[in-house]
Amino acid sequence: MIYTGPEPLPDNVMPSLTAMFLSRVEKSPDKEAFRYPDADDNWVSVTWQEAGNQAELWAAGLTALGARPGARVGIAAGTSYSWTVAALAIG
């Protein structure tokens, strides 16, 4: 369901992608969330909890660098797992 109005969000609608991500971390922390190839082309599995922890670390780092809510933050990187975590930390 997509939110389109000024009224309060219905219970079944998440306010943002980051909120959906954090909800998934809470609901299934030990399930696999992502897989990506390492430098040797071996697949690395990441749980929702691990991804959530990494996003929190990125967010803390951005805050330490002076980023505040509403600030514009850019990501200059190729498509990767790290890019995904960075985007969730910014969200």
Side-chain angles (χ1 to χ4, degrees):
M1 174 180 226
I2 298 173
Y3 176 71
T4 60
E7 63 277 352
L9 289 172
D11 289 338
N12 64 338
V13 176
M14 291 287 178
S16 68
L17 179 62
T18 300
M20 289 190 297
F21 170 72
L22 294 174
S23 175
R24 177 54 61 194
V25 169
E26 185 178 313
K27 289 178 184 174
S28 50
D30 298 324
K31 292 191 177 185
E32 183 179 76
F34 300 97
R35 296 186 91 207
Y36 64 91
D38 66 12
D40 297 322
D41 284 333
N42 296 311
W43 287 95
V44 177
S45 179
V46 180
T47 66
W48 286 104
Q49 186 64 60
E50 290 168 332
N53 292 345
Q54 291 169 2
E56 284 182 24
L57 288 173
W58 276 81
L62 290 167
T63 300
L65 291 171
R68 298 291 177 256
R72 293 182 180 167
V73 176
I75 304 171
T79 303
S80 67
Y81 169 70
S82 294
W83 185 95
T84 302
V85 173
L88 292 164
I90 292 167

